[in-house]
Amino acid sequence: MTAEPDATQTDHRPAIIICAWDVDEAGWDPVEDLSGEPWNPVGARTVAVPADSPGHLADELSGHLRDPRCRALLLVGRTQRPGRFLLQLRAEHRAPDGSRSDHGTAPSVARATAPIAEMVRALNDAGVPAEATSEADDDSGTFLLYSVLSGLPDGIDTPAIGVLRGPGDASDAAFTKAVKTAAQAMARNMSPISRARAG
């Protein structure tokens, strides 16, 4: 009796990992209805990674990105700054608690690889006020952004990696709309996975 093929092995859509790092975040649920199927942007499929401790989460996300079928990572969370949704351009090397880290030989700053300008434009076009920022919150989102970017192995095509933060007073509906819009903008920049990579 032959084993049934893994659905992800036959799905040639590139994968976007979406991770809300805060266990209390109620604004993003990848499963929209009773079907139990996660939401997917056009042309891609999503991989939902649940919140965990920052260290474990960084390791898990990095493990996913070693799979050439995973072409993007969108980290989502909240900021205490009021007003617009924010897309973070860079992250400094910090410890999981947000304190500055003695980086030794590691780079002091890592830059997001997501198509930030296109994501900001898509959010604003969708009626979600958004802007790019070089300012980083001292939280798990910044730690994860730096850790994942600095841990990318050499010799792979660089995936699109970014952080989207919603204002603390944004409704769950607005937060969900922003996550979907940002993920769709990322998906527009990705091509289908070749059969060689999918196999």
Side-chain angles (χ1 to χ4, degrees):
M1 182 175 181
T2 59
E4 291 191 15
D6 181 351
T8 62
Q9 295 289 337
T10 57
D11 190 335
H12 299 298
R13 294 175 299 170
I16 299 177
I17 304 162
I18 301 179
C19 176
W21 65 78
D22 189 340
V23 294
D24 296 323
E25 178 55 65
W28 170 245
D29 183 354
V31 178
E32 294 185 290
D33 53 38
L34 297 178
S35 70
E37 294 296 319
W39 170 83
N40 295 302
V42 176
R45 61 185 174 85
T46 54
V47 176
V49 174
D52 199 342
S53 65
H56 286 127
L57 200 49
D59 289 342
E60 183 174 359
L61 294 171
S62 294
H64 278 290
L65 289 171
R66 284 191 285 272
D67 183 338
R69 295 169 297 177
C70 288
R71 301 301 307 133
L73 165 62
L74 180 61
L75 296 160
V76 297
R78 301 279 179 161
T79 178
Q80 295 309 307
R81 285 175 274 175
R84 296 173 174 267
F85 282 79
L86 302 174
L87 284 151
Q88 189 169 325
L89 291 168
R90 63 193 189 102
E92 295 182 355
H93 193 185
R94 293 185 181 272
D97 64 1
S99 63
R100 290 190 179 275
S101 178
D102 179 12
H103 53 79
T105 60
S108 60
V109 174
R111 300 192 181 281
T113 55
I116 300 294
E118 184 171 340
M119 293 163 75
V120 168
R121 186 164 50 250
L123 286 162
N124 284 306
D125 288 348
V128 180
E131 64 185 9
T133 180
S134 292
E135 295 182 25
D137 289 11
D138 293 335
D139 62 9
S140 295
T142 295
F143 168 79
L144 291 168
L145 180 61
Y146 179 90
S147 297
V148 172
L149 285 168
S150 63
L152 289 174
D154 294 330
I156 68 166
D157 294 336
T158 303
I161 300 172
V163 169
L164 171 69
R165 283 191 174 83
D169 60 354
S171 68
D172 289 350
F175 192 83
T176 295
K177 181 178 181 180
V179 173
K180 289 182 175 181
T181 302
Q184 187 63 71
M186 295 175 91
R188 282 195 289 270
N189 285 269
M190 297 187 292
S191 57
I193 301 298
S194 69
R195 291 183 180 275
R197 285 190 172 187

